[in-house]
Amino acid sequence: MVPTTEADEFYKREVGVMLTPPTGQERAEGWCGLQGVRELQIKYEELDRPASDIAISGLGWIAVEPLGVPSSDPDSSVEEEDGDSGELHLRVHVPKPVEVFVRAPLPVGKAASQWYRYQELTEVEEELRPKWHY
């Protein structure tokens, strides 16, 4: 992870070196690059629990936690609304066919017992949920 302002330079410098596809460096030469970009706006209500998870198909997931002190930079990726709530703005770059989606945070580890609260799916979430047909 690098700051947005350094991302393009880092990518150009490291593709085929540190950023090598798991299939090997020889496949890096035919690499089409990160063509897909998802702009995410993630709202959070509490600072002491993850706001959500970002799941990247074929890679895994990343827990998004609103930790740290918000920046005074006008181009900041954090917008505070009041007290402990706010909104995070993230940009995720992936190869074209890879899907990126946001989900409720998975309760992982001992710390999760302090913040996890079970909630039923809303009607909208139920509609968006993949349907399994056997």
XYZ file of all heavy atoms in Angstrom, residues 2-15 19:
126
model
N 0.596 2.144 -0.895
C 1.347 3.397 -1.000
C 0.364 4.558 -1.095
O -0.781 4.370 -1.480
C 2.292 3.415 -2.224
C 3.346 2.328 -2.128
C 1.532 3.281 -3.512
N 0.808 5.775 -0.745
C -0.077 6.931 -0.912
C -0.493 7.086 -2.372
O 0.266 6.765 -3.296
C 0.782 8.113 -0.465
C 1.845 7.515 0.390
C 2.094 6.139 -0.146
N -1.695 7.574 -2.585
C -2.246 7.735 -3.931
C -1.312 8.524 -4.830
O -1.129 8.185 -6.004
C -3.617 8.428 -3.864
O -4.466 7.643 -3.015
C -4.261 8.543 -5.231
N -0.680 9.562 -4.294
C 0.189 10.414 -5.106
C 1.414 9.670 -5.616
O 2.005 10.063 -6.609
C 0.649 11.652 -4.301
O 1.275 11.207 -3.088
C -0.536 12.557 -3.980
N 1.797 8.579 -4.947
C 2.981 7.815 -5.352
C 2.634 6.509 -6.070
O 3.526 5.783 -6.500
C 3.819 7.484 -4.107
C 4.305 8.704 -3.361
C 4.962 8.345 -2.032
O 5.388 7.178 -1.869
O 5.035 9.224 -1.164
N 1.350 6.200 -6.202
C 0.925 4.894 -6.708
C 1.379 4.617 -8.141
O 1.889 3.535 -8.431
C -0.587 4.757 -6.598
N 1.190 5.569 -9.052
C 1.569 5.333 -10.453
C 3.061 5.103 -10.597
O 3.494 4.182 -11.301
C 1.124 6.499 -11.335
C -0.385 6.547 -11.520
O -1.023 5.485 -11.387
O -0.910 7.642 -11.782
N 3.858 5.901 -9.928
C 5.319 5.755 -9.997
C 5.758 4.419 -9.405
O 6.579 3.709 -9.979
C 5.996 6.909 -9.252
C 7.508 6.835 -9.282
C 8.147 7.939 -8.451
O 7.604 9.058 -8.405
O 9.195 7.658 -7.838
N 5.171 4.055 -8.260
C 5.495 2.780 -7.612
C 5.150 1.611 -8.528
O 5.937 0.695 -8.708
C 4.738 2.657 -6.285
C 4.940 1.333 -5.601
C 6.080 1.098 -4.855
C 3.993 0.324 -5.719
C 6.268 -0.127 -4.227
C 4.181 -0.892 -5.099
C 5.318 -1.122 -4.356
N 3.980 1.663 -9.142
C 3.537 0.588 -10.029
C 4.494 0.431 -11.206
O 4.927 -0.670 -11.522
C 2.117 0.872 -10.511
C 1.592 -0.171 -11.462
C 1.139 -1.400 -10.996
C 1.563 0.059 -12.832
C 0.662 -2.355 -11.865
C 1.097 -0.902 -13.706
C 0.650 -2.102 -13.220
O 0.192 -3.058 -14.078
N 4.837 1.541 -11.871
C 5.738 1.482 -13.030
C 7.110 0.935 -12.648
O 7.708 0.167 -13.385
C 5.882 2.866 -13.653
C 4.638 3.320 -14.364
C 4.783 4.750 -14.863
C 3.459 5.252 -15.414
N 3.468 6.685 -15.670
N 7.583 1.330 -11.477
C 8.916 0.922 -11.030
C 8.949 -0.545 -10.594
O 9.930 -1.250 -10.836
C 9.353 1.831 -9.870
C 10.740 1.545 -9.343
C 11.137 2.465 -8.192
N 10.312 2.217 -7.021
C 9.531 3.113 -6.436
N 9.450 4.337 -6.907
N 8.804 2.800 -5.374
N 7.869 -1.031 -9.975
C 7.905 -2.348 -9.345
C 7.207 -3.477 -10.108
O 7.345 -4.629 -9.728
C 7.311 -2.256 -7.936
C 8.105 -1.380 -6.992
C 9.492 -1.935 -6.689
O 9.705 -3.157 -6.787
O 10.374 -1.120 -6.345
N 6.453 -3.160 -11.180
C 5.791 -4.235 -11.910
C 6.851 -5.150 -12.528
O 7.812 -4.695 -13.124
C 4.806 -3.699 -12.985
C 5.515 -3.107 -14.175
C 3.849 -4.794 -13.420
N 6.073 -6.534 -7.778
C 4.704 -6.819 -8.206
C 4.746 -7.821 -9.358
O 4.675 -7.467 -10.519
C 4.010 -5.519 -8.652
C 3.973 -4.402 -7.619
C 3.383 -3.140 -8.220
C 3.188 -4.829 -6.399
